[in-house]
Amino acid sequence: MKKRIAILLSGRGSNFEALTDSVSNGRIPNAEISVVISHREGAPGIERARARGIDARVVPSKGLDRDAYDRQVVAVLQEKKIDLVCLAGYMRLLSSYFVQAFRGRILNIHPSLLPAFPGLEAQRQALEHGVKFAGCTVHFVDENLDAGPIILQATVPVRDDDTVDSLSARILAEEHRIYSEAVRIVLEGRYRVEGRRVVLLKEAEAAKSHV
Ligand code: GRF
């Protein structure tokens, strides 16, 4: 049976599109994007999902505390029988209720080489810090911000004439590549978590998928 992926987003949705393309072209085999959820009415990613005929839902967060909101989102995820949740530019911290409901089955992409530069405007933070290499990270989501075990990272050079925009664009191309790769690894169970370390396994060694 196909693995059922949910994507949660707040904005543009380019990572959503990259994941969707990978599902269509077989880079992520045996999977489907079953639902896209946003807390923001008018998030461009929601429009992009609808244009592709994907079930795209806005669950408004106004007036709800984190827990009450997440209960609504988790209810949708359960209704849709979701196997894996991918945060893709989702600008909300998850409650422990949410994390516990999908423990080990929530991924996030962050535009820095974590644990450097967590939080907002990671590319600006990297540029202002003067690092020579920047990059992106796909990690499991736990209760803390940008903190769970790291699945994949990619580096890009920082050039002397970089702006936040030029650096962000270079990182984004790598985000699109490694997010799909990480989703495939997780869906195929090709990893083992040892404390904070995610050890990647060869296909032959793959354990039964946890997802
Ligand atoms: C990406 O840079 C992602 O790493 C960060 O938010 C941005 C989302 O971009 N978490 P998009 O909406 O996927 O285009």
Side-chain angles (χ1 to χ4, degrees):
M1 247 204 4
K2 285 189 174 175
K3 300 285 186 179
R4 298 173 62 81
I5 299 172
I7 297 181
L8 273 52
L9 54 78
S10 303
R12 183 174 59 181
S14 73
N15 278 288
F16 147 72
E17 290 207 303
L19 291 174
T20 305
D21 288 344
S22 292
V23 166
S24 310
N25 65 26
R27 250 180 298 159
I28 302 175
N30 300 321
E32 65 179 35
I33 308 296
S34 303
V35 69
V36 175
I37 302 175
S38 183
H39 54 111
R40 281 204 186 131
E41 195 69 64
I46 286 287
E47 296 313 316
R48 288 179 175 201
R50 287 192 178 134
R52 287 173 179 249
I54 295 171
D55 181 1
R57 305 191 189 184
V58 175
V59 181
S61 55
K62 202 160 178 235
L64 296 175
D65 66 27
R66 191 177 310 286
D67 209 65
Y69 181 74
D70 280 0
R71 280 174 195 273
Q72 292 196 7
V73 173
V74 167
V76 174
L77 299 175
Q78 287 168 342
E79 171 209 323
K80 298 290 288 188
K81 299 192 172 18
I82 293 304
D83 297 300
L84 182 69
V85 179
C86 294
L87 309 184
Y90 187 60
M91 308 297 283
R92 291 179 58 91
L93 266 178
L94 301 193
S95 62
S96 59
Y97 172 80
F98 193 152
V99 174
Q100 274 165 35
F102 280 86
R103 187 167 296 282
R105 298 190 294 147
I106 312 171
L107 309 186
N108 183 43
I109 178 104
H110 183 74
S112 79
L113 294 171
L114 290 171
F117 315 127
L120 294 175
E121 298 201 79
Q123 303 95 328
R124 181 183 301 280
Q125 293 185 55
L127 204 56
E128 287 177 355
H129 196 89
V131 295
K132 301 297 186 193
F133 288 90
C136 49
T137 304
V138 182
H139 63 93
F140 287 109
V141 172
D142 64 14
E143 281 82 356
N144 302 309
L145 178 67
D146 300 328
I150 291 169
I151 303 165
L152 288 178
Q153 292 186 306
T155 57
V156 303
V158 180
R159 302 203 176 119
D160 290 342
D161 60 353
D162 262 333
T163 61
V164 173
D165 285 348
S166 64
L167 179 59
S168 299
R170 196 173 309 123
I171 294 172
L172 192 64
E174 292 302 302
E175 292 186 34
H176 296 163
R177 187 177 65 77
I178 68 167
Y179 211 173
S180 294
E181 205 179 319
V183 167
R184 179 173 187 159
I185 288 168
V186 170
L187 289 181
E188 292 180 346
R190 279 195 285 122
Y191 67 99
R192 189 173 61 232
V193 183
E194 293 175 359
R196 278 211 51 89
R197 298 183 65 207
V198 178
V199 179
L200 302 185
L201 308 175
K202 298 212 177 67
E203 233 151 294
E205 310 167 327
K208 202 177 161 316
S209 171
H210 311 268
V211 168

